[in-house]
Amino acid sequence: ALQADMPSWWQNRGQTRLRLQDFDGALADFAETIRLAPRTAAAQLGMAQVYLARSDAALALPYLDRAIELDESLAEAYAWRA
């Protein structure tokens, strides 16, 4: 059964959709993760990765900043931000 109230479910599906280049689906799933668990750094990073994949650094930047704010050890966010 769908675990609609579990942020990790949405996060995992968002990552899968990102890998499959289903960017609209990935954005929707990461947004739902953030709605359910606003302090999820990985979802913030996922949103940024989608926007970067779409060559939209301006939209990615706030999500990278938020990911770093939530988890300073998230090296990938720093790398993408550089």
Side-chain angles (χ1 to χ4, degrees):
L2 175 65
Q3 300 297 316
D5 62 341
M6 293 182 62
S8 62
W9 189 90
W10 294 101
Q11 175 67 28
N12 290 336
R13 192 170 80 166
Q15 288 296 327
T16 298
R17 286 179 159 180
L18 177 59
R19 283 192 290 277
L20 294 172
Q21 297 185 356
D22 173 7
F23 299 131
D24 290 336
L27 283 175
D29 288 346
F30 293 135
E32 184 63 9
T33 304
I34 292 167
R35 186 186 73 76
L36 293 169
R39 298 192 56 81
T40 305
Q44 304 286 340
L45 181 60
M47 294 287 281
Q49 288 173 314
V50 171
Y51 288 123
L52 289 168
R54 290 181 163 176
S55 299
D56 196 336
L59 286 176
L61 190 58
Y63 289 103
L64 291 171
D65 289 343
R66 181 71 173 140
I68 291 167
E69 178 184 321
L70 293 171
D71 184 354
E72 292 178 355
S73 70
L74 201 59
E76 193 173 358
Y78 289 100
W80 283 106
R81 198 173 185 292

